[in-house]
Amino acid sequence: GKANFTGNFSVGQTGNYLFVDNTSGNVGIGTSSPTFPFGGSGIHIRGAPGNIVNTFLDIVSIASIPNGLIGFGVNGTAEWHIGYEGPANRFSLVETFVAERLSLVPGGNVGINTTTPSATLSVNGTLLVNPLGTTALFVNPSGNVGIGTTSPGTALHVIGSINASVAYRAADGSASAPSYTFDADTDT
C-alpha cells in the first residue's frame, strides 16, 4: 500500500526515532532536524541522546556537486566524508574543510594527499616505512631518502651497514673507480 502525508512524518514520542521533513525530503533517525553541513538532501542518523561525543552519520546527495557522500561527524560538525566524485571519476576520503587525503582512481592507482595519482601509489608529502617500530625507509618532500634515519641530509643517507654487490658506474654509464668518503668509525 501507499500512505500520503501533508505535513512532516514522525515516529516516536518526540519525533526523534524517525522523522521525514515534508519540505526538504530529508530523513532523520535519532533527530527531528535532519540537516547537512554542505546542504543537499539525504538521511541524517544521530547517535543516542546522551552519547558522550554525539556522533552522527550522513548519507547525502548535493545537487551542485555531482557526488555521493557519506559524512561522519561529532557534535554537529562533519569531520570526515567518503564519496564518489563524478566528474573526476574517483573515490575519495576527505578530511572535511581541510583536504582530500586519499584518492582511488580507475585502473587502481591510489593517491595520498593527491587527487591525481600517476602510479600504483602516489604520495604527496613524507613517506615513512616503519616496520616493527624501526625506520626502514624515509623519503622527505625534497626527495632525500633515508635508510635507518628520518632526517636525511643528502640524496641518500644511510645509518647502518651497506653491502654493494655490483660495480660502480658513473652517471654516463662508463665504468670508473668509485670515490668513497668515510666518516669516523668506532667499529673495529
Side-chain angles (χ1 to χ4, degrees):
K2 180 179 169 183
N4 291 316
F5 297 90
T6 57
N8 295 333
F9 173 79
S10 63
V11 175
Q13 189 173 19
T14 60
N16 285 339
Y17 300 110
L18 175 63
F19 179 85
V20 179
D21 184 312
N22 74 321
T23 304
S24 67
N26 290 341
V27 175
I29 299 174
T31 180
S32 58
S33 57
T35 58
F36 307 98
F38 305 112
S41 61
I43 301 171
H44 181 85
I45 303 169
R46 183 163 300 279
N51 185 331
I52 294 171
V53 293
N54 200 11
T55 57
F56 67 88
L57 167 70
D58 286 338
I59 302 170
V60 62
S61 175
I62 302 171
S64 62
I65 306 170
N67 295 342
L69 299 175
I70 299 175
F72 304 88
V74 178
N75 293 323
T77 302
E79 303 291 340
W80 288 88
H81 68 266
I82 57 175
Y84 173 74
E85 186 176 342
N89 194 23
R90 74 173 172 262
F91 179 80
S92 302
L93 175 63
V94 178
E95 185 177 0
T96 306
F97 301 118
V98 178
E100 193 164 324
R101 298 301 187 190
L102 182 73
S103 298
L104 177 63
V105 298
N109 288 354
V110 175
I112 298 176
N113 288 331
T114 178
T115 59
T116 55
S118 58
T120 303
L121 178 62
S122 295
V123 179
N124 182 9
T126 301
L127 173 66
L128 174 63
V129 179
N130 193 5
L132 304 174
T134 61
T135 301
L137 177 70
F138 180 86
V139 181
N140 70 19
S142 300
N144 290 352
V145 176
I147 299 175
T149 179
T150 58
S151 55
T154 58
L156 177 62
H157 187 154
V158 178
I159 302 290
S161 299
I162 301 172
N163 183 355
S165 60
V166 293
Y168 170 81
R169 295 273 178 195
D172 64 5
S174 64
S176 64
S179 172
Y180 299 101
T181 303
F182 295 94
D183 291 333
D185 187 358
T186 57
D187 293 333
T188 55

